[in-house]
Amino acid sequence: MLEEILSQVQSGELSVSEAKQKLATYENLGFAKVDHHRNKRQGFSEIVYGEGKEPEHIISIIQSLKNRNNQVLVTRVSKEKAEKIQEVCPEFIYNETARILYWKKWTEKQTDDNGYIAIICAGTSDLKVAEEAAVTAEVLGSEVRRIYDVGVAGIHRLFNHLEEIQNATVSVVIAGMEGALPSVVGGLVSHPIIAVPTSVGYGANFNGLSALLTMLNSCASGISVVNIDNGFGGGYNAVLINQLAKKGARQNENVIL
C-alpha cells in the first residue's frame, strides 16, 4: 500500500496532503476519532455503536468509514434515527428487527465458501437479539442459517433441525427465561457454541441475569457466553470462528494437493 501511494504521489495522481490522509491510521472528526487501521489489525472495519449517538454524528462517522471500507455496520439504531440517517445516506439498509443500519459493497462472491453459522433462537421474543447476531454475521461475509422458535418448552421442534445444526461450523444460541437451550444444543454437537442470554422473562428472570447464570454454569462442554442481549458479540465471534475453520480447510487442501 505504501509503495502504491508513493507511486501515485510521484505521478501526480495524489497530492502530498491526500497521501497523508490515506496513510493516517485514524481520522479526527472532533467528536470522534474514526479508526481506519482497524481493518488491517482485525480484518473488519470499525463497528459503530449507534445508541446514545446523535444522527448527525453517526452520519459523519459512517461517511468517513464508507470512503475506505467495503462494509459499514451500525448497531442499536432506532427506527426514527435510522430514517434521519437514510435521508442523507440512502444507500444504507436498515433492519428494524436487528436494529442494525448497514452498507456493503456487494460483489459476485458474497459469503464464505466453507461452512455456515447456525443462529438458534429459543422463542419469538428473542428475535431482536437473534437478528442482531444474524445480520452482523451476514454483513461480515458469513453464510447464516436461521433456526428460530425451537426452545426447550417444545424440544421436538429443535430435533427437526438437528442435522442442519450439527453440520454448522459454529452455533450462536440465543435464549431468555431460564436460558437452558445452549446446554441442550451443547450436548448434541461437536462444534463451538456461543451462548447469548436475553433479558426476556418474568420477574425472577432479573432482566436476563438468570439466563446468564444458567449459561455460565452449563454442564455441556464447548460453550462460551457473551453478555445479556449481546447478539452483535455472538455474531461477530461466530464469524471469527467460521473464518478460522475456512483457513484451516484451505491449508488442508494445499497439503492434499
Side-chain angles (χ1 to χ4, degrees):
M1 180 182 175
L2 179 59
E3 290 179 357
E4 181 184 347
I5 292 173
L6 287 174
S7 175
Q8 289 174 334
V9 171
Q10 289 174 344
S11 66
E13 293 178 54
L14 285 178
S15 67
V16 174
S17 61
E18 288 172 332
K20 285 181 178 178
Q21 189 176 0
K22 276 184 171 288
L23 290 169
T25 56
Y26 69 88
E27 181 177 357
N28 191 346
L29 301 178
F31 56 86
K33 293 180 175 65
V34 183
D35 185 359
H36 290 307
H37 201 254
R38 188 82 55 96
N39 193 28
K40 290 182 175 59
R41 299 196 315 271
Q42 298 183 330
F44 299 113
S45 59
E46 181 176 2
I47 309 298
V48 183
Y49 181 72
E51 203 164 52
K53 290 184 176 68
E54 295 297 326
E56 294 77 14
H57 288 166
I58 294 176
I59 289 168
S60 295
I61 293 169
I62 63 178
Q63 287 177 333
S64 174
L65 288 168
K66 185 173 178 287
N67 288 333
R68 299 194 182 206
N69 297 281
N70 291 325
Q71 75 271 326
V72 179
L73 180 67
V74 190
T75 65
R76 300 298 170 93
V77 182
S78 67
K79 183 180 179 180
E80 294 74 22
K81 192 180 290 187
E83 288 173 350
K84 290 180 181 178
I85 295 168
Q86 286 176 312
E87 288 176 4
V88 181
C89 305
E91 70 275 18
F92 276 74
I93 299 168
Y94 181 61
N95 185 306
E96 186 175 353
T97 304
R99 296 168 292 175
I100 283 179
L101 186 72
Y102 68 92
W103 166 83
K104 184 166 185 174
K105 187 183 289 183
W106 297 103
T107 60
E108 190 173 326
K109 176 178 165 40
Q110 296 183 14
T111 57
D112 294 335
D113 292 329
N114 301 303
Y116 58 85
I117 298 169
I119 307 290
I120 307 166
C121 175
T124 307
S125 297
D126 303 308
L127 278 182
K128 282 186 176 182
V129 180
E131 275 298 289
E132 185 177 60
V135 175
T136 295
E138 286 174 333
V139 174
L140 297 182
S142 289
E143 180 184 347
V144 165
R145 306 281 180 92
R146 290 168 170 81
I147 301 165
Y148 289 172
D149 197 22
V150 290
V152 297
I155 199 66
H156 56 291
R157 299 172 298 180
L158 179 71
F159 297 145
N160 288 335
H161 301 275
L162 189 54
E163 184 177 355
E164 185 176 22
I165 295 170
Q166 289 175 329
N167 288 331
T169 303
V170 53
S171 289
V172 182
V173 185
I174 298 105
M177 298 293 187
E178 83 286 12
L181 186 59
S183 293
V184 174
V185 177
L188 299 170
V189 303
S190 59
H191 59 247
I193 290 174
I194 301 169
V196 187
T198 74
S199 53
V200 171
Y202 298 106
N205 168 265
F206 298 113
N207 293 318
L209 182 59
S210 64
L212 173 64
L213 293 176
T214 295
M215 294 175 185
L216 288 172
N217 286 285
S218 174
C219 64
S221 302
I223 296 177
S224 300
V225 187
V226 297
N227 210 344
I228 299 168
D229 291 336
N230 189 10
F232 162 74
Y236 190 101
N237 287 334
V239 170
L240 296 178
I241 292 170
N242 199 38
Q243 286 192 335
L244 286 173
K246 177 183 174 182
K247 183 178 179 181
R250 283 180 174 172
Q251 289 175 340
N252 288 335
E253 286 177 1
N254 292 335
V255 170
I256 294 171
L257 292 173

